[in-house]
Amino acid sequence: ATVIVSVLSGLVIVGLVWTRRFELARYGVAVPIAAVIAGWALARYPTLLPGLSVHRAAAPHDTLVCLIVAVLAGGALLFPSLALLFRLMLGGHLQPATAERARASPLTAIPLQPGLGVRAAVALLIVGVGMLNAADAPWAHAIGVVSLFGFIIVGFAAIVPPALAQDS
């Protein structure tokens, strides 16, 4: 039943996009996603992790390493495209309706020297991946997670053009 709901709502959304009713389509996208999640839960209902501890239910170490590598590869594809998008927006090629709000954001007011931000982001990435994969202590994992969050923040600040940081 949930597969049928997902397919039918997907067809309705395609029809809404075809007739240029984008606002309704935007809200309607949640229906097939919720149907897929509900279908997964209904399919797993009789045996939804009975008697498993967190350690027994966790993926093997090799799978977790592959997952981290895949996320980093995805970030390597995503961050340059975000940098290009920011440069196009600030160069005047793209003018969003909320440009004033983006310039007023306190998160973009982190001025960094050009090479320092990139070096710090790479260092935080190496520390984060190293601590999460090589160490077994909980404190080392905490340092790894904090380092990866720092990589995201410093990396974002490093790719934001200096003109945006000076405007705010």
Side-chain angles (χ1 to χ4, degrees), residues 2-149:
T2 58
V3 173
I4 293 170
V5 169
S6 179
V7 169
L8 290 178
S9 60
L11 291 174
V12 168
I13 291 168
V14 169
L16 288 171
V17 170
W18 186 269
T19 59
R20 298 189 176 273
R21 295 181 181 159
F22 299 117
E23 191 71 24
L24 287 174
R26 184 178 300 135
Y27 295 125
V29 168
V31 175
I33 294 170
V36 168
I37 293 171
W40 173 81
L42 289 173
R44 300 282 305 181
Y45 176 69
T47 57
L48 193 66
L49 298 177
L52 282 180
S53 68
V54 173
H55 295 320
R56 287 187 54 204
H61 184 269
D62 294 339
T63 304
L64 296 175
V65 170
C66 289
L67 178 67
I68 290 174
V69 169
V71 167
L72 292 176
L77 293 174
L78 178 67
F79 287 131
S81 60
L82 283 175
L84 176 63
L85 177 66
F86 284 132
R87 292 194 192 283
L88 287 175
M89 274 184 18
L90 297 173
H93 302 290
L94 299 175
Q95 291 297 326
T98 61
E100 288 79 21
R101 284 189 294 185
R103 286 191 184 104
S105 174
L107 292 177
T108 58
I110 306 171
L112 290 175
Q113 295 176 1
L116 178 65
V118 174
R119 288 192 301 260
V122 170
L124 286 168
L125 176 66
I126 292 170
V127 168
V129 171
M131 288 293 196
L132 286 174
N133 287 317
D136 288 332
W139 61 267
H141 288 175
I143 291 174
V145 169
V146 170
S147 296
L148 288 180
F149 280 124

